[in-house]
Amino acid sequence: MTVLRVKDISILFGGLKAVSNFNMTLEEGELLGLIGPNGAGKTTVFNMITGVYHPTSGEIEFADKNGKFQNTTHMKPFQITQMGMARTFQNIRLFKDLTVLDNIRIAYHSNVKYKTFDAVFRTPAFFKEEAEITKKAIELLEIFNLGHKQAELAKNLPYGEQRKLEIARALATQPKLLLLDEPAAGMNPQETQDLTQLIRFIREKFNLTILLIEHDVSLVMGICERIIVLDYGQTIAEGTPAQISQDPRVIKAYLGEEVGLHA
Amino acid sequence: MKKNIANGLTLAAIAVVFTGIMTALVFFGVIDEYTAQILSLAGINVIVALSLNLISGFTGQLALGHAGFMAVGAYTTAYCIMKLNLPMFLAILIGGLVTAVFGLVIGFPTLRLRGDYLAIVTLGFGEIIRVIMINLEQITGGAAGLKGIPSFTEDILLAPALSLLWVFSVMIITIILVSNLIKSSYGRAILSVREDEIAANAMGINVFYYKMYAFTISAFIAGVGGGLYAPFFGYLNPTMFNFLKSVDFLVIVVLGGMGSITGTVIAGFVLTYLQEFLRFLQDYRLVIYPLLLIFIMLFRPSGLMGNREISILGLWQRLFKSKNQSQSKVDKAGER
Ligand SMILES: Nc1ncnc2c1ncn2[C@@H]1O[C@H](COP(=O)(O)OP(=O)(O)O)[C@@H](O)[C@H]1O
Ligand SMILES: [Mg+2]
């Protein structure tokens, strides 16, 4: 079953065409990698899919919770999130001055049933649902080995744990499609290895479809079934990791970059 | 669940006893009339400063016209008492509701925009409201203002104690309700907007809605604070609500700590008292306030309390039930 259809989207920033005529279809359960040199337009594609930017032309359709396709091209990010899509950011965007626990609990807010009245007058409905939310949040943190850090402020976590917390927070919105923007950026090989395991694990556990932007080619080649390569805003190759690593255009695009495809 | 109810009752009991004792102290003259007046005034300032903290400290949207909201609440309440003969409680409530409508109307076009538009528009609103108050002579008495607004009681002997009782009751209810709101999922939504709008949006939070939500509630509370002004002073005129008044609240919030209810309460009482004490300085306030603000920014940019809170219930449990594993005295920011 198809989860996401991206049809011929382009976006202009001033005179610059950051992404042109990008096409993509995501099948349920798939793990698709989006790679390309710096400035190729990968994050911009994410921003259009999640509603942060709206494409200048083209359309995006996302299957809602009942599997019915909705045109999300001009929806707001929070609406798209509520439909079941979540993301992380290339430059971590945690709620820095809030605790680890609250970072997660915020993600449950759009499903909260108690009203402002219950909150300010502390009705039983408030206590009951708050207890449920907190329990769910702690269970999720425990999966990420962050349970013991729930009371710490997010900004005080080490870098690697901040990345993990951001993924956990995205999962708390209960998505069926997860978009990860360079989750291994700034990690050492060991941490990257652990992250690879983690992505495999959550994919199974939460039945996720995943779209992964990554600069670390070994990570992408290791876990993606299918890869799209972007360069200067255009798709220059698409296929299995084996096909991609043979493609002359891809090798050319990566020439001069410090990370070669065969590294 | 039982523990929750017990905690709620304990807090309510502490609040009632505290208010009762304060009122009795004034009634029996232990606290003199002048001090009682300052305390009442401080209570009103705390209410309005809390409302400003809700939008500026907790939601991160700078607002500079809270004196304007106060004015709307004050004049509406005075009108309801004098012209419509409504009971005090209802008049103040209507004052708050009318002010909330003003909040909605100002917020709707402004809060969609990014950055500091709200600061500019609320600043303008505060001034425009004053001009309107001056020109709407039929209702507001124009520049001369309104006089002879009935007090909380007709009995002069009872007045100081009853004023204090009213103000403190409203203040404590406001403190409890606002802190309950902040420590709920709705509060977390508001905080997430302050922390990072893009991330909040990506978490499914309707950022514009929650800015409107916080701003409207803020306006309502400021209106209630203004509503208490009318019977407290017995007269109203537009200069009571000038830009400096808005700055007063900002100083209280910044000094106490943006995002700390406890800080606002402490700073509200300290600054109100200081203001009375330094009355002889008159317009030098214009010099002292900016200096004070610069001083805070230099040496303690997060204010007295930062975004920490002192939990009354926590203190209570610590004092009287120290064997239980009670809450810590100073909650960390996030334990809200
Ligand atoms: N908001 C923006 N305004 C103007 N230019 C932008 C904006 N966002 C991205 N760009 C430009 O679009 C191009 C693609 O950027 P990006 O999608 O971040 O690349 P990648 O994620 O592949 O490294 C870059 O040239 C970048 O400067
Ligand atoms: Mg990028």
Side-chain angles (χ1 to χ4, degrees), chain A residues 3-67:
Chain A
V3 176
L4 181 77
R5 286 193 205 124
V6 178
K7 295 186 207 159
D8 226 26
I9 54 169
S10 304
I11 190 166
L12 282 166
F13 290 124
L16 175 84
K17 204 161 196 185
V19 172
S20 31
N21 305 93
F22 181 80
N23 284 283
M24 180 175 68
T25 312
L26 273 177
E27 298 300 323
E28 192 176 339
E30 192 176 19
L31 204 171
L32 178 75
L34 187 58
I35 66 171
N38 254 328
K42 305 179 296 291
T43 300
T44 306
V45 167
F46 262 35
N47 283 337
M48 286 189 284
I49 295 174
T50 54
V52 177
Y53 298 148
H54 303 298
T56 321
S57 63
E59 282 195 350
I60 302 168
E61 291 176 340
F62 181 52
D64 65 16
K65 302 230 149 128
N66 310 317

Side-chain angles (χ1 to χ4, degrees), chain A residues 82 93 97 109 114 116 120, chain B residues 180 185-186 195-196 204 210 213:
Chain A
Q82 288 176 5
R93 279 183 176 273
D97 281 315
H109 180 71
Y114 70 77
T116 302
V120 297
Chain B
N180 283 353
S185 194
Y186 295 88
E195 290 290 305
D196 189 327
Y210 279 101
Y213 175 91

Side-chain angles (χ1 to χ4, degrees), chain A residues 29 49 89-90 100-101 131 162 176 181 215 234 240 247 250:
Chain A
I49 295 174
F89 295 88
Q90 183 173 349
V100 168
L101 181 63
Q162 292 197 12
K176 55 178 185 290
D181 196 345
H215 217 68
Q234 282 175 320
T240 63
D247 195 299
V250 177

Side-chain angles (χ1 to χ4, degrees), chain B residues 36-55:
Chain B
Q37 277 220 341
I38 297 177
L39 285 174
S40 301
L41 190 59
I44 298 176
N45 284 341
V46 165
I47 292 168
V48 182
L50 266 182
S51 83
L52 179 63
N53 204 348
L54 181 63
I55 185 69

Side-chain angles (χ1 to χ4, degrees), chain B residues 150-170:
Chain B
S151 174
F152 293 105
T153 169
E154 275 161 33
D155 188 333
I156 305 171
L157 286 177
L158 271 179
L162 218 68
S163 291
L164 189 102
L165 179 61
W166 263 93
V167 170
F168 271 46
S169 303
V170 176

Side-chain angles (χ1 to χ4, degrees), chain B residues 58-109:
Chain B
F58 290 103
T59 322
Q61 312 300 311
L62 187 59
L64 295 174
H66 266 49
F69 285 140
M70 250 189 124
V72 175
Y75 280 99
T76 307
T77 302
Y79 185 84
C80 288
I81 299 172
M82 295 168 79
K83 298 272 164 64
L84 307 180
N85 286 317
L86 293 179
M88 191 69 71
F89 174 76
L90 200 58
I92 293 173
L93 190 68
I94 292 174
L97 290 175
V98 169
T99 314
V101 172
F102 273 76
L104 271 175
V105 171
I106 296 166
F108 194 77

Side-chain angles (χ1 to χ4, degrees), chain B residues 139-152:
Chain B
I139 300 172
T140 65
L146 282 180
K147 293 190 183 66
I149 304 165
S151 174
F152 293 105

